[in-house]
Amino acid sequence: MKPLEASDWPRWVRPGSRVFLGGGASVPFALVASMLDHAAGFKDVELVHIHGLGDSPWIAPQYENVLRTNSFYLTPALREAVERGQADYTPCAMSEVGSLFRNGPLPLDVALIQMSPPDAKGWCSLGLSVDIVKSAAESAKVVIAQINPKMPRTCGDTLISVRKIAGFIEHSADLPEMAAGVCDERHERIGHHAAQLIEDGSTIQCGLGNSPEAVVRALRKHRHLGIHSGMFNDALMELVRCGAVDHSRKTYQPGKIIASHVLGSRKLYAFVDGNEEVALHASEWVNDPYRIARNERMVAINGAREIDLTGQVVRDSSGHRFYGGIGALQDFIRGAGRSAGGCPIIALTATADQDGRSRIVAGLESGSGVCTGRGDVHHVVTEYGVASLHGRSIRERVARLVEIAHPDHREALLEGAHQRGWLPRFFTMPGSARAVDDVESGWICFQEKRLFLRPLHPSDMRALQEFFYSHDEETIRLRYGYLRDQMTGESAFKLAAVDQTKDLALGIFSEEHGRQELRAIGRYYLDEGGKSAEVAFVVHEQSRHMGMAGFLLGELASVAKRRGIIEFWASVRAENRAMAQLFLAVGAVESPSDSAGERDLKMSLARILKPRKEFLERKMIRRLVR
């Protein structure tokens, strides 16, 4: 290793050379400045790199005839360079970039990297960016280094010998920081919804963007989490600092935070300096989907530009214009999808910040590139809820995605779906679907069995059909007043498509291996005048005696009271003693019925809610708070 001299540039950077530039927080700007001082003598040099913090001086107009940029990830400045014809974009998953250097179409002549000073044995650390820098340094014919005393010395597979370095400059400089994402109420709601999908003991990956970061911030009350992520950022660091991450249930590389690069604040850079808990490796190692899948309960949290109603995800373009890049999206979505208990999540706001257009679309704009196929998508989360798509039909996918779109765009999306034959014409959308703020969804523990409470949605029509056909004859007769033998899709839709701002329908769902099944339903129907409502329940035969009907009665009463309702009433079949007993236990008063074989019962909401705490304790029911 020798100090870089001016005469080295024309000797190493020959006409037609391909030169790699380190990225992330490790762009070797002093080295780049030295190279640009000699750029007048270059001929047709290609610069290859990924996303980097800071400016990109090599795309200035004066270098147009001697330097051409080829990036795997586009910043706004690089996008403009692509559009004016000065730069190129190469779409590629991060796990595959290293192979392009080693034995693919992008062999490297020179690699410009930034690293820490050598230790006593002559080993330097690549610091904050191992990602594709490791592969570039190992495969390039010539490696030139910027040695920065302020570069953290990170652990893992980060070392490079001084014997590999042909020339160097020593330049001390503060490392660029990435500002924390600006999260608003939409992002907080996205985080809340997504956090309900994530179990304690999961291993987390976080992609770039405000929405993925908001999901990570919502995990502070989780426990026993692990981290296996391309990027390690401040949000993930805070999960470690608050105790949510302890790696105790991590099944691959237990005890270690696995990442390929670090992007964030100076506090984050100090955290990883010499920290043996954080192990950085090359992207082809970290992002290998088969390695990712070795983590049980692997959770991949990534953003998107838009998604169509069938589940196709667009990440790196909008029409014929390119934005960003594929990055880690494909790798982690597929890896998490193969993981035992894995949970791939696409998180995005329902509308774009710039123009308010819907990010959920009936059809993709011409030129838009699909980064993640519809078959790989499991969960899509917006501020309006969660659409679980994996293994679902086109009809189910479309219905669920319309429900989590912005209310202003649902009508147009439905029309697009109807025109394409994806939804039957009877499927419409109440304006309030997924938009009620006074109904709390979440996990409930019933006698140690974990179940999920949420409002019913129009897309639950298939779940309602399955629920109906699982009943025995007695349940059908007691619930419907006659022996009904069919629940058509249209009939199920009418039961599920509730205007939740007026009436209310709550479902309790079990979930195993990604399959949700209805266990119980509670409803009220508002009477004219708005002060009273009819209430009704049905509980699956296998889920009785757990207190579900009583719990749902209390939940309905809580919401109804906030909405100004003062009284519930119910007509109960005379032989349905269990349901009548439930109402009588909360002070219901029986009055003469107009129908033979029916008991009419009225009860005040105040009486229903009064013994609620005692009821929950007696039945061993508790809400799992996040």
Side-chain angles (χ1 to χ4, degrees):
M1 184 170 77
K2 71 178 189 65
L4 180 68
E5 299 177 1
S7 59
D8 292 328
W9 285 111
R11 183 161 58 93
W12 287 332
V13 182
R14 310 286 295 173
S17 289
R18 181 175 290 113
V19 178
F20 172 82
L21 304 180
S26 299
V27 180
F29 284 109
L31 203 54
V32 168
S34 176
M35 178 188 70
L36 294 179
D37 286 342
H38 299 83
F42 295 165
K43 295 180 181 179
D44 298 318
V45 172
E46 181 181 12
L47 303 179
V48 179
H49 57 83
I50 56 173
H51 170 267
L53 297 181
D55 296 331
S56 303
W58 53 90
I59 61 171
Q62 64 262 37
Y63 305 117
E64 184 172 358
N65 295 322
V66 293
L67 300 175
R68 185 170 184 85
T69 293
N70 182 5
S71 180
F72 297 100
Y73 198 97
L74 300 180
T75 62
L78 286 168
R79 185 182 72 244
E80 292 175 3
V82 169
E83 292 177 352
R84 67 173 180 263
Q86 188 182 346
D88 294 310
Y89 162 58
T90 297
C92 187
M94 287 295 289
S95 63
E96 300 175 359
V97 174
S99 66
L100 302 183
F101 299 154
R102 285 195 169 88
N103 48 31
L106 294 177
L108 300 175
D109 298 297
V110 181
L112 307 186
I113 67 174
Q114 186 172 186
M115 61 188 192
S116 74
D119 62 14
K121 295 181 180 180
W123 290 98
C124 303
S125 171
L126 291 173
L128 301 178
S129 293
V130 179
D131 45 59
I132 64 172
V133 176
K134 183 79 172 178
S135 303
E138 290 176 346
S139 59
K141 297 172 186 175
V142 175
V143 180
I144 308 173
Q146 175 180 322
I147 296 177
N148 185 356
K150 295 186 177 182
M151 175 64 76
R153 196 172 181 90
T154 53
C155 302
D157 187 19
T158 71
L159 298 181
I160 183 169
S161 172
V162 293
R163 293 191 295 272
K164 179 67 177 175
I165 309 302
F168 75 94
I169 63 171
E170 188 167 357
H171 181 81
S172 180
D174 290 332
L175 296 163
E177 300 177 63
M178 183 173 72
V182 179
C183 293
D184 56 27
E185 183 183 353
R186 297 173 304 162
H187 299 104
E188 291 178 4
R189 293 179 66 174
I190 288 170
H192 171 76
H193 293 313
Q196 304 288 350
L197 297 170
I198 301 170
E199 298 180 23
D200 287 343
S202 296
T203 294
I204 308 298
Q205 174 260 343
C206 177
L208 274 173
N210 292 347
S211 294
E213 188 170 317
V215 176
V216 172
R217 290 178 180 176
L219 301 180
R220 293 176 62 86
K221 293 183 180 178
H222 280 61
R223 289 297 175 260
H224 310 303
L225 300 176
I227 295 171
H228 184 123
S229 180
M231 174 182 64
F232 184 61
N233 60 10
D234 283 82
L236 290 171
M237 176 187 70
E238 292 303 327
L239 289 186
V240 181
R241 294 167 69 95
C242 76
V245 168
D246 64 10
H247 318 293
S248 61
R249 299 184 190 173
K250 199 165 183 276
T251 55
Y252 180 67
Q253 298 287 311
K256 295 290 185 182
I257 295 168
I258 300 298
S260 70
H261 61 285
V262 180
L263 278 179
S265 67
R266 191 169 303 178
K267 183 169 67 172
L268 175 69
Y269 302 159
F271 178 84
V272 301
D273 190 11
N275 188 343
E276 295 184 357
E277 184 182 2
V278 182
L280 302 186
H281 295 266
S283 292
E284 58 193 305
W285 190 94
V286 173
N287 290 41
D288 178 356
Y290 293 97
R291 180 169 283 108
I292 294 166
R294 294 173 69 178
N295 293 290
E296 294 180 7
R297 298 177 299 277
M298 181 71 214
V299 177
I301 309 165
N302 290 277
R305 294 196 67 81
E306 66 181 21
I307 181 168
D308 81 352
L309 287 176
T310 71
Q312 297 184 105
V313 176
V314 174
R315 170 65 178 266
D316 68 340
S317 62
S318 180
H320 293 283
R321 300 190 72 187
F322 297 112
Y323 294 83
I326 293 175
L329 177 65
Q330 284 185 358
D331 299 327
F332 278 92
I333 288 289
R334 290 175 178 168
R338 295 181 179 130
S339 163
C343 183
I345 296 171
I346 300 294
L348 72 167
T349 54
T351 54
D353 292 341
Q354 300 86 347
D355 53 14
R357 63 178 177 80
S358 178
R359 286 185 162 179
I360 297 174
V361 297
L364 299 178
E365 185 180 348
S366 174
S368 294
V370 175
C371 287
T372 302
R374 56 176 71 97
D376 286 327
V377 175
H378 284 227
H379 305 286
V380 179
V381 183
T382 73
E383 64 267 37
Y384 295 100
V386 177
S388 296
L389 307 184
H390 186 61
R392 300 296 179 178
S393 69
I394 294 297
R395 184 178 74 166
E396 291 173 302
R397 289 163 174 261
V398 171
R400 293 178 180 208
L401 285 167
V402 170
E403 287 170 358
I404 66 167
H406 192 284
D408 291 347
H409 296 287
R410 290 175 188 161
E411 191 83 24
L413 291 172
L414 276 175
E415 183 56 33
H418 290 152
Q419 290 176 357
R420 292 165 172 81
W422 291 342
L423 283 177
R425 280 286 173 180
F426 66 70
F427 193 102
T428 57
M429 190 69 59
S432 62
R434 303 260 185 157
V436 286
D437 295 324
D438 60 347
V439 181
E440 187 173 0
S441 301
W443 292 99
I444 312 294
C445 193
F446 289 86
Q447 301 175 16
E448 303 309 316
K449 185 172 179 62
R450 187 168 172 264
L451 301 168
F452 197 75
L453 169 75
R454 65 166 173 82
L456 290 184
H457 307 308
S459 61
D460 288 319
M461 57 186 182
R462 181 57 188 165
L464 274 168
Q465 286 180 299
E466 293 173 348
F467 186 58
F468 173 83
Y469 288 117
S470 71
H471 297 329
D472 59 25
E473 291 184 0
E474 181 183 11
T475 297
I476 293 174
R477 183 171 53 81
L478 292 178
R479 173 63 181 86
Y480 296 97
Y482 60 95
L483 190 56
R484 181 175 182 171
D485 63 357
Q486 186 178 10
M487 176 70 72
T488 66
E490 187 169 0
S491 297
F493 171 77
K494 290 177 180 178
L495 289 172
V498 176
D499 182 350
Q500 303 279 8
T501 61
K502 177 185 174 185
D503 303 325
L504 185 60
L506 298 179
I508 295 175
F509 294 79
S510 65
E511 184 168 333
E512 292 184 22
H513 309 297
R515 176 180 173 81
Q516 278 195 347
E517 291 185 345
L518 262 171
R519 299 287 90 190
I521 299 173
R523 301 172 176 273
Y524 76 65
Y525 302 90
L526 189 65
D527 293 330
E528 189 175 349
K531 295 300 181 181
S532 63
E534 181 183 9
V535 65
F537 305 93
V538 59
V539 179
H540 195 283
E541 290 86 349
Q542 296 177 3
S543 299
R544 289 175 182 168
H545 312 297
M546 297 174 66
M548 289 189 186
F551 174 79
L552 286 170
L553 177 61
E555 292 295 299
L556 294 171
S558 296
V559 176
K561 184 179 180 182
R562 292 195 294 271
R563 295 179 178 181
I565 300 171
I566 60 174
E567 183 181 68
F568 278 164
W569 64 273
S571 290
V572 181
R573 297 284 296 179
E575 61 266 43
N576 192 352
R577 297 184 182 88
M579 188 58 64
Q581 187 57 43
L582 170 66
F583 295 141
L584 292 170
V586 294
V589 176
E590 187 169 355
S591 59
S593 176
D594 294 333
S595 303
E598 298 278 346
R599 302 174 67 181
D600 287 349
L601 299 160
K602 292 184 179 181
M603 63 214 89
S604 73
L605 300 191
R607 287 291 303 274
I608 293 172
L609 294 171
K610 187 176 181 180
R612 181 150 176 76
K613 182 178 180 182
E614 293 81 357
F615 169 80
L616 296 177
E617 290 176 350
R618 185 173 72 254
K619 289 292 187 177
M620 294 186 293
I621 300 172
R622 57 190 174 89
R623 191 181 293 271
L624 302 178
V625 180
R626 290 297 189 197

